[in-house]
Amino acid sequence: MSKYHVNEKGYYGPFGGAYVPEMLYPNVEELQQKYLAIMQEESFQKEFHDLLKDYVGRPSPLYHAKRFSEKYGVNIFLKREDLNHTGAHKINNTIGQILLAERLGKKRIIAETGAGQHGVATATVCALKGLECVVYMGEVDIQRQAPNVARMKMMGASVVAAQSGSKTLKDATNEALRDWINNPVDTHYIIGSVVGPHPYPDLVARFQSIISQETKRQLIEKTGRSNPDYVLACVGGGSNAAGMFYHFLDEEDVKLIAIEAAGHGVHSGESAATTALGKDGVLHGSRSILMQTEDGQVIEPYSISAGLDYPGIGPQHAWLFRSGRGQYVSITDDEAMQAGLLLTKLEGIIPAIESSHALAYLEKMSFKGDENVVICLSGRGDKDLDNYMKYFGF
Amino acid sequence: MLAHKNIFQDGQRKLLSIYFTAGYPDLDSTVTIAEELEKSGADFLEIGFPYSDPVADGPVIQHSSETALRNGMTLTLLFEQLKALRSRVSIPVFLMGYFNPVLQFGVENFCRSCAAVGIDGVIIPDLPMYEYEELYQETFYKHGVSNIFLVTPQTSTERIRKIDKLSKSFIYLLSSNATTGKNLEVGESSSAYFKRLKDMELSNPLVIGFGISNAKTFGQATNYAKGAIIGTAFVKLLAEDDYLSKIRGFIAAIKS
């Protein structure tokens, strides 16, 4: 494995590890020992790829956005994760993890969710497999995301309100971890991003790596080259970026750009720009970069996009940032909203506000004209219509 | 020689330890509560330093942590307050909390500060054995700060043996795989687990925590172990009016 992938101890450079209390050690150790072998089984691979094809609708298209390209004077390709079943890249991971959970003999699934996209993707695969599903969601988010709460309930999941702390994603993750501590034997925790104790960052990245695997093949068809000049993706915890970067990590001619949410401005006090504001720290089981006070208390982030509203980033991203392999930048709420509207008007595609952050960074780049740029369009904007309507007054 | 060696080697005596969160209910209540606990007959203490994301804790201790943080408690302030500890409290005192505040304070600085104010050892549930051994053990040894490990019903025998080797004061036995504040029910499976641990004849004494709340559960736990720890039930008491005057009665009821 390359220096950008996890080592045998679960680390990416100084980041990663499994900082979990003893109560979670057996669960995490079981996963560490078994995940690679299970994922390599032929029957697993077959079922995973069959479901991705027939249920999720993969491969997702790589779309050459011509009017958008003209506007920026460069060739822009959108990796259309928004066309997946349930509307985002999240389903790639939940399909993989439900198959893993089945093979581990688990009967009950738990998950955390912020805006509800990962919760919906988890409830979906639990319905598909007939497994019990409990989704933890911050009380504040439950009120903000009623349609996704309804979707989860329709699919048979219980949605439990996280009442602690700021009652958002971070606290939902704490509640899911507490549930796992109290139900160590029969339960699998489907983490939604490339965060958490080893092996979660690696296993989620592997399931999401289908994104860059397909992209390489599709680029050859469309451009004659498997490598683009730039790859862009938004980062909250960082799962779509991890999947979008995966097969390009060792190809140093490809510039990787990760876009964080700057909220009202990086230094406004209302931001989720982790690499700009954070320091090394430990949260939710891994060592990474974390927004925190001098005293090591976690700072509540802010972004208009609920999917980017997380105070840390996955340990692999921390390493790509620290090692200089990736460029980590940020985009404000306003810049993202304008970019979302621009794509809608030029291409007839309403992007998720998360993905709009990646699109907005084009404004800050300069091109020679013949470069190829791939942007991960991680999700569709249906879930964000309320936000778009309020913001633009439609 | 650390103070706690003596009590753990004290024959048949069953030890009662009390956990409470620093800075709760009031910012400057920490040493006063510790002093009253010693006067009331507690054998040793765990003082929690608060963290914003306490994943191993149930609602009561979560609430005490949130309140303590709102009150302004930090590790820096706690060590400042604890300068008065050893002029007022002589029983062993351990600090308990999560790793990130320690990491920001600096592990070396943390150990040095513990030694300077007379803290006997620390319990950091989310600092795993591998990281402790690889990165921090030498620092803990250098400052004479004992690191306490947790053992749960799921912990393998091999791992327990290793924990016993790395431990220098006691092993913290969780009554069940659970967050804090659940009630202990000593059924067949937990008594088999306690007995298995007792029969391993480890070199460190066992102290049982999580789910111990009253005389009955304290008695059940200490049938198998040298001592037991009460946390949530005591933190609940601290939410009551005039809590200081009730501490003596609380301890007496458990020890009766």
Side-chain angles (χ1 to χ4, degrees):
Chain A
M1 274 305 203
S2 83
K3 61 182 174 180
Y4 302 117
H5 289 282
V6 77
N7 70 19
E8 70 282 4
K9 298 290 186 191
Y11 277 84
Y12 305 83
F15 302 113
Y19 289 77
V20 292
E22 187 66 24
M23 297 82 103
L24 287 178
Y25 179 81
N27 295 27
V28 167
E29 190 198 28
E30 180 185 34
L31 273 178
Q32 286 173 358
Q33 288 177 350
K34 294 182 179 168
Y35 81 109
L36 289 177
I38 291 176
M39 285 172 70
Q40 281 156 10
E41 283 169 12
E42 204 175 306
S43 69
F44 181 97
Q45 282 296 321
K46 183 172 186 324
E47 194 174 358
F48 181 55
H49 287 287
D50 285 353
L51 282 171
L52 288 183
K53 177 168 172 282
D54 299 330
Y55 187 73
V56 177
R58 301 201 73 92
S60 67
L62 185 71
Y63 167 65
H64 183 198
K66 293 193 186 62
R67 296 189 70 207
F68 209 56
S69 295
E70 259 168 47
K71 150 88 181 155
Y72 289 105
V74 72
N75 298 315
I76 297 169
F77 295 89
L78 302 177
K79 182 58 174 163
R80 298 291 308 273
E81 294 300 303
D82 61 316
L83 295 177
N84 291 341
H85 179 44
T86 71
H89 70 291
K90 292 288 184 190
I91 190 91
N92 303 328
N93 169 47
T94 60
I95 292 271
Q97 286 207 48
I98 201 80
L99 299 182
L100 185 62
E102 267 191 325
R103 283 158 177 79
L104 291 168
K106 305 292 181 178
K107 304 289 179 222
R108 179 173 173 271
I109 299 297
I110 56 172
E112 84 296 337
T113 196
Q117 292 304 103
H118 173 60
V120 168
T122 303
T124 300
V125 296
C126 288
L128 180 70
K129 288 294 185 179
L131 290 178
E132 184 188 348
C133 180
V134 179
V135 178
Y136 289 91
M137 188 168 183
E139 196 174 43
V140 171
D141 290 331
I142 287 179
Q143 284 157 16
R144 290 195 290 205
Q145 308 288 342
N148 274 343
V149 175
R151 284 184 184 100
M152 289 185 266
K153 288 183 175 166
M154 282 179 74
M155 289 185 282
S158 314
V159 180
V160 179
Q163 312 269 7
S164 59
S166 57
K167 305 180 174 62
T168 58
L169 175 60
K170 172 175 82 73
D171 310 287
T173 308
N174 291 338
E175 289 303 332
L177 286 166
R178 289 181 187 121
D179 181 308
W180 211 21
I181 287 173
N182 287 295
N183 298 283
V185 179
D186 66 338
T187 298
H188 176 70
Y189 177 18
I190 300 189
I191 292 185
S193 192
V194 285
V195 300
H198 174 63
Y200 277 108
D202 186 48
L203 84 84
V204 176
R206 283 170 186 264
F207 290 137
Q208 293 294 0
S209 72
I210 187 76
I211 300 173
S212 49
Q213 190 185 324
E214 289 174 1
T215 300
K216 283 197 135 197
R217 200 178 62 230
Q218 292 165 322
L219 274 172
I220 292 179
E221 286 167 20
K222 291 181 193 299
T223 69
R225 295 193 292 138
S226 63
N227 285 356
D229 298 283
Y230 298 94
V231 173
L232 275 65
C234 63
V235 173
S239 68
N240 91 82
M244 187 74 250
F245 293 171
Y246 198 91
H247 291 281
F248 298 113
L249 288 172
D250 295 325
E251 318 227 355
E252 308 258 356
D253 59 318
V254 180
K255 296 180 189 71
L256 307 177
I257 304 178
I259 295 96
E260 298 179 329
H264 293 145
V266 172
H267 300 291
S268 64
E270 289 180 294
S271 163
T274 303
T275 56
L277 300 170
K279 289 180 295 180
D280 293 17
V282 170
L283 178 68
H284 297 150
S286 64
R287 197 165 177 142
S288 184
I289 297 173
L290 179 62
M291 288 169 56
Q292 55 186 313
T293 65
E294 288 289 309
D295 186 46
Q297 309 299 338
V298 180
I299 291 175
E300 199 54 40
Y302 162 80
S303 165
I304 192 169
S305 149
L308 303 182
D309 200 355
Y310 185 73
I313 49 171
Q316 185 180 36
H317 287 297
W319 181 228
L320 295 179
F321 168 69
R322 185 64 50 80
S323 65
R325 175 66 187 95
Q327 190 188 345
Y328 284 69
V329 297
S330 62
I331 283 294
T332 63
D333 286 0
D334 291 336
E335 292 165 334
M337 296 305 280
Q338 293 299 339
L341 186 62
L342 184 69
L343 185 76
T344 307
K345 290 203 183 294
L346 290 181
E347 298 286 351
I349 298 170
I350 304 177
I353 298 174
E354 288 80 5
S355 319
S356 298
H357 283 73
L359 299 168
Y361 194 66
L362 288 166
E363 292 281 343
K364 311 206 166 185
M365 298 173 72
S366 52
F367 302 105
K368 290 189 296 244
D370 56 350
E371 299 104 320
N372 295 325
V373 179
V374 174
I375 303 176
C376 188
L377 199 66
S378 56
R380 68 176 84 125
D382 306 32
K383 70 179 176 63
D384 295 319
L385 272 187
D386 260 2
N387 263 327
Y388 280 124
M389 281 156 65
K390 273 184 208 139
Y391 188 88
F392 291 109
F394 289 122
Chain B
M1 186 68 155
L2 296 172
H4 65 254
K5 291 279 182 198
N6 304 323
I7 65 162
F8 287 113
Q9 288 158 7
D10 181 4
Q12 292 306 304
R13 192 168 145 214
K14 297 301 184 186
L15 303 176
L16 171 62
S17 176
I18 298 291
Y19 168 95
F20 65 98
T21 305
Y24 178 83
D26 304 307
L27 184 58
D28 53 2
S29 54
T30 313
V31 178
T32 308
I33 291 170
E35 193 175 23
E36 187 59 27
L37 279 166
E38 176 170 17
K39 282 186 196 157
S40 303
D43 297 298
F44 67 104
L45 304 178
E46 279 141 62
I47 299 179
F49 48 95
Y51 181 45
S52 53
D53 295 82
V55 293
D57 287 302
V60 172
I61 293 179
Q62 284 173 43
H63 172 74
S64 70
S65 295
E66 277 176 34
T67 307
L69 288 174
R70 257 201 315 277
N71 287 343
M73 182 47 72
T74 64
L75 265 180
T76 307
L77 178 62
L78 178 60
F79 282 122
E80 197 54 42
Q81 293 180 349
L82 291 178
K83 283 180 181 168
L85 180 75
R86 285 307 174 200
S87 64
R88 293 166 67 183
V89 175
S90 62
I91 53 176
V93 177
F94 297 81
L95 291 187
M96 182 167 188
Y98 294 83
F99 186 51
N100 197 51
V102 176
L103 192 61
Q104 299 315 312
F105 193 79
V107 175
E108 172 107 43
N109 195 21
F110 177 77
C111 290
R112 188 189 301 116
S113 302
C114 283
V117 300
I119 291 295
D120 296 275
V122 300
I123 306 160
I124 305 174
D126 61 341
L127 174 58
M129 191 159 66
Y130 168 74
E131 277 73 12
Y132 169 73
E133 263 192 293
E134 288 289 309
L135 303 171
Y136 304 117
Q137 182 169 249
E138 274 182 37
T139 308
F140 277 66
Y141 283 179
K142 187 170 119 192
H143 295 283
V145 176
S146 170
N147 187 34
I148 314 299
F149 292 92
L150 308 184
V151 162
T152 80
Q154 326 294 336
T155 308
S156 69
T157 301
E158 186 192 354
R159 193 168 162 87
I160 293 169
R161 292 279 176 212
K162 182 153 190 208
I163 285 171
D164 193 36
K165 278 207 185 85
L166 290 174
S167 298
K168 290 192 177 299
S169 50
F170 70 90
I171 292 173
Y172 193 134
L173 204 61
L174 265 61
S175 61
S176 63
N177 217 89
T179 43
T180 55
K182 307 260 170 178
N183 285 327
L184 174 65
E185 288 165 27
V186 182
E188 270 178 36
S189 67
S190 57
S191 56
Y193 152 63
F194 293 154
K195 188 168 182 314
R196 173 167 72 92
L197 264 293
K198 191 180 180 186
D199 291 348
M200 285 178 76
E201 298 186 346
L202 301 170
S203 56
N204 288 276
L206 303 173
V207 177
I208 297 179
F210 285 42
I212 317 295
S213 60
N214 51 29
K216 183 180 165 212
T217 43
F218 177 73
Q220 287 169 333
T222 50
N223 278 337
Y224 300 93
K226 179 69 188 159
I229 302 163
I230 294 182
T232 298
F234 183 73
V235 172
K236 275 186 193 161
L237 177 82
L238 295 180
E240 294 177 13
D241 290 339
D242 205 16
Y243 61 84
L244 265 187
S245 66
K246 297 176 182 167
I247 290 177
R248 187 172 293 271
F250 180 89
I251 300 296
I254 289 156
K255 287 203 137 184
S256 64

